[in-house]
Amino acid sequence: MANLSLQHLDKIYDNKVQAVYDFNLEVKDGEFIVLVGPSGCGKSTTLRMIAGLEDISAGRLLLDGMDITAAPAKDRDMAMVFQNYALYGHMTVYENMAFSLTLRKEDPNIIHKKVLAAAEILGLTDQLNKKPKQLSGGQRQRVAMGRAIVRSPKVFLFDEPLSNLDAKLRAATRREILLLHKRMKATMLYVTHDQTEALTLADRIVCMSMGHVQQVGTPLELYDTPANLFVASFIGLPPMNFFDVTVEKDCLRNANFTLPLTKTEQKLLLDHIGKVIVLGVRPENIAVGNTVTLKVTNNENLGMNTLVHGFLQNGAAITCKLRGWCDYQAGDSVQVDFAKRHFFDKETTNAIR
């Protein structure tokens, strides 16, 4: 497969709007990279620059050490799977999957073997004579993946491939993509706005906002040690709770609560005594206790867990993910403790570490 090097990539459109700023990433052979972020953050633009579908305004793109910054898309040895499948409706599944090889005028016997092999991997063997309109959305997406597989490209590119599927199909197809990667050990770059896809698929995640890379790391690193407030708020479902607090020598204080600091936390926040910082607590790191009191507004029972939504005394919203099935009523008072806590500089929004 392939190593890919993205060096200081910028994308500036003719109207002077800049979509991507100084994007840097080293992709290892066989690595699964997921670009995640809200709509308009530049992730799809970055993928299209890699594919050769958008010009690179500045910077360099290297594939196995070779500069392909200006190379046309057809010469980059990459295969892209699009959100809308991009299948030919008048062709059968077999013909769609074989199309790129047919254009290359490859030996029909070799084409046949490659198509059958890809169809077996994707569970499409009994669908090869059907037209796309006869298939479900999930099957069409597998055909699109099959068309990419038969090309044996150095790099696979996925642009929000699951966004047109319903929740059940999305989960099933996500598992298929993960199994495909493990089986093929291929270099893959995958764009999504869905953090669940990012957390479950990626070897490493690139989290983007407004054209800038916010953090690159393993799913656990982005979840457990977010680099700034944006990453902390974007990664994790439900999102992290945030509270402005004043740092004192041995505690954090605001109008709603006083939280004792551990020795480690006191040392970490030593330079911030007397300042207001942002305290972040994930809903799953909140448990019934005796430190913070909230007024319940509603519950979302999820079986093994319950999302409890409420407000603190000064009106600050809070969401807790409590173990078990809870039957709190609107207006009930519940006392909770904050377990793992994250701290962010209020001015820079960067994590305090």
Side-chain angles (χ1 to χ4, degrees):
M1 288 298 168
N3 298 287
L4 197 62
S5 178
L6 289 71
Q7 303 177 357
H8 305 288
L9 297 191
D10 286 346
K11 178 59 184 178
I12 306 172
Y13 289 103
D14 293 340
N15 61 2
K16 308 303 181 185
V17 172
Q18 187 158 356
V20 178
Y21 298 80
D22 195 29
F23 191 104
N24 292 279
L25 183 67
E26 298 295 325
V27 183
K28 301 172 186 174
D29 182 19
E31 195 170 18
F32 198 130
I33 297 290
V34 176
L35 279 63
V36 69
S39 297
C41 72
K43 57 189 185 296
S44 288
T45 301
T46 302
L47 196 75
R48 290 175 65 84
M49 285 195 289
I50 296 169
L53 302 177
E54 294 278 2
D55 293 333
I56 296 172
S57 303
R60 295 204 309 160
L61 178 64
L62 278 64
L63 180 62
D64 285 337
M66 181 178 296
D67 193 328
I68 60 168
T69 307
K74 65 182 180 64
D75 296 333
R76 296 194 178 196
D77 202 6
M78 299 180 186
M80 192 159 179
V81 179
F82 295 92
Q83 175 181 343
N84 62 357
Y85 319 135
L87 302 177
Y88 295 103
H90 65 287
M91 293 182 180
T92 64
V93 168
Y94 183 99
E95 291 166 338
N96 268 282
M97 291 173 64
F99 184 69
S100 62
L101 303 184
T102 304
L103 281 182
R104 292 184 195 170
K105 302 188 185 303
E106 285 204 20
D107 185 309
N109 291 325
I110 294 176
I111 293 175
H112 186 68
K113 289 179 181 178
K114 287 185 175 181
V115 170
L116 290 185
E120 184 177 355
I121 290 172
L122 296 167
L124 292 170
T125 304
D126 58 348
Q127 309 293 327
L128 291 174
N129 293 321
K130 293 182 179 180
K131 300 287 181 66
K133 66 181 180 182
Q134 298 174 278
L135 305 178
S136 68
Q139 289 171 326
R140 292 179 195 178
Q141 194 55 273
R142 279 187 276 155
V143 175
M145 289 191 287
R147 185 174 54 192
I149 291 169
V150 298
R151 289 181 55 191
S152 301
K154 286 189 173 182
V155 179
F156 287 85
L157 306 174
F158 295 85
D159 190 8
E160 304 211 36
L162 308 185
S163 59
N164 287 339
L165 306 180
D166 63 40
K168 186 176 181 179
L169 269 177
R170 195 157 56 239
T173 309
R174 186 172 69 233
R175 289 192 295 271
E176 289 174 0
I177 292 174
L178 188 59
L179 291 172
L180 177 66
H181 176 252
K182 289 182 176 179
R183 180 168 180 172
M184 299 187 69
K185 296 180 173 56
T187 304
M188 294 183 175
L189 283 86
Y190 185 107
V191 160
T192 182
H193 63 271
D194 185 332
Q195 53 143 317
T196 300
E197 290 178 28
L199 290 170
T200 54
L201 289 172
D203 293 323
R204 284 191 297 154
I205 296 173
V206 180
C207 187
M208 297 183 68
S209 173
M210 300 179 69
H212 295 272
V213 173
Q214 300 296 315
Q215 187 174 358
V216 180
T218 65
L220 181 59
E221 286 170 343
L222 268 71
Y223 173 82
D224 213 34
T225 55
N228 53 41
L229 279 172
F230 174 80
V231 178
S233 63
F234 192 81
I235 300 295
L237 193 67
M240 186 180 287
N241 298 285
F242 298 106
F243 311 98
D244 286 353
V245 294
T246 300
V247 180
E248 299 185 4
K249 183 179 179 181
D250 57 1
C251 67
L252 301 174
R253 193 184 303 275
N254 70 7
N256 297 294
F257 51 75
T258 299
L259 299 177
L261 290 171
T262 67
K263 295 294 184 183
T264 301
E265 290 171 336
Q266 290 178 36
K267 184 177 180 180
L268 179 68
L269 298 175
L270 187 62
D271 293 337
H272 296 269
I273 292 176
K275 298 179 182 178
V276 175
I277 64 169
V278 179
L279 165 68
V281 186
R282 294 203 180 278
E284 52 270 35
N285 293 142
I286 299 176
V288 173
N290 56 17
T291 308
V292 180
T293 302
L294 66 92
K295 288 284 188 182
V296 175
T297 55
N298 65 291
N299 299 327
E300 292 183 70
N301 293 106
L302 305 174
M304 290 293 293
N305 301 288
T306 302
L307 298 183
V308 179
H309 304 279
F311 290 94
L312 302 183
Q313 187 175 353
N314 71 344
I318 183 172
T319 297
C320 315
K321 189 174 184 179
L322 303 181
R323 290 184 62 82
W325 189 281
C326 300
D327 287 317
Y328 297 120
Q329 302 299 312
D332 284 353
S333 292
V334 179
Q335 287 192 305
V336 296
D337 289 332
F338 297 161
K340 183 176 177 61
R341 300 181 281 201
H342 303 265
F343 309 110
F344 303 91
D345 187 287
K346 191 168 176 61
E347 293 184 5
T348 67
T349 76
N350 291 330
I352 300 172
R353 295 176 181 166

